[in-house]
Amino acid sequence: MISTVKDLAAEALFVSHLQPSEYPSRAVLEEAITSMILQYGSDGCAAGVATEFGDHPDVAVRRMRWVQDELAEVVAWRAPVCH
């Protein structure tokens, strides 16, 4: 299930209007992800990703790399501290 949630978050961030050059904060990333999921739903986010990979694969690969890097940081921020 965590993989599914992470995949949905990645698709939502991918279709958002955020750009790597904006260096968005964690709060801005989370807001964008939530907004895209509410606006497009999981199917709409996935369709947007598929369209971009079909139309602009070179750009889409770079964007998805950025998305994955950003999500890795968000997950690291939320990771519980175990003692």
Side-chain angles (χ1 to χ4, degrees):
M1 177 151 148
I2 296 208
S3 178
T4 303
V5 171
K6 186 177 175 188
D7 291 345
L8 177 56
E11 292 167 348
L13 181 55
F14 184 95
V15 300
S16 76
H17 297 291
L18 289 180
Q19 296 299 314
S21 61
E22 296 177 64
Y23 301 101
S25 67
R26 180 182 76 179
V28 170
L29 289 169
E30 291 176 352
E31 183 178 317
I33 290 166
T34 301
S35 176
M36 293 297 97
I37 292 170
L38 292 174
Q39 185 173 353
Y40 297 113
S42 61
D43 290 344
C45 290
V49 171
T51 298
E52 285 303 306
F53 269 93
D55 293 347
H56 310 285
D58 53 328
V59 176
V61 167
R62 286 193 306 270
R63 182 156 179 87
M64 188 54 81
R65 224 176 264 134
W66 170 75
V67 164
Q68 294 298 327
D69 289 346
E70 291 298 313
L71 288 179
E73 288 186 32
V74 169
V75 170
W77 288 330
R78 291 194 175 263
V81 176
C82 298
H83 298 281

